Amino acid sequence: MQIDTQKLDIRPAERSDIPRIYAMIQAIAAYEKLTHLLEVNEAILEESLFSTNPAARAIVATIGDETIGYAIFYYNFSTFVGKRGIYLEDIYVETEYRGHGI
């Protein structure tokens, strides 16, 4: 598959991205054979990512109108160093788009 990375856009997730993010989380769970442990749903994702005090943040990768990947992260704080950090919880790119620098 030829990927036109010129059309790649990485942007903050929006509420309208939740169904695709949820579908990709389900894909990770299926790959890991852990669907029986999956408790999250779209409502939990919306609350966790878009409340007034979100538990995490998300970005999505799109090509045209198609969302092809996401990352969910949250900020942490090191008491030893006294600096803010970032913890990457998930990063996922659809199989057919992997290996193209996305």
Side-chain angles (χ1 to χ4, degrees):
M1 174 194 278
Q2 185 73 331
I3 306 296
D4 185 359
T5 56
Q6 297 285 13
K7 295 182 180 180
L8 175 67
D9 185 30
I10 297 176
R11 61 169 173 76
E14 300 169 355
R15 279 186 164 87
S16 61
D17 295 312
I18 289 175
R20 278 295 294 138
I21 293 170
Y22 181 61
M24 290 183 280
I25 291 170
Q26 289 176 307
I28 292 171
Y31 175 80
E32 296 289 339
K33 296 180 178 35
L34 297 173
T35 55
H36 62 286
L37 297 177
L38 196 61
E39 295 183 21
V40 74
N41 59 41
E42 291 183 21
I44 292 171
L45 279 176
E46 182 169 0
E47 175 67 22
S48 299
L49 298 175
F50 297 104
S51 67
T52 54
N53 187 20
R57 308 219 190 272
I59 58 175
V60 293
T62 62
I63 293 182
D65 293 334
E66 187 175 2
T67 302
I68 60 162
Y70 78 95
I72 291 181
F73 62 95
Y74 57 89
Y75 297 108
N76 58 17
F77 180 77
S78 169
T79 56
F80 279 37
V81 180
K83 292 185 180 180
R84 185 182 209 176
I86 190 170
Y87 182 86
L88 180 61
E89 180 66 35
D90 280 353
I91 186 167
Y92 180 85
V93 175
E94 292 285 5
T95 306
E96 61 269 24
Y97 293 95
R98 295 176 190 166
H100 298 280
I102 297 168

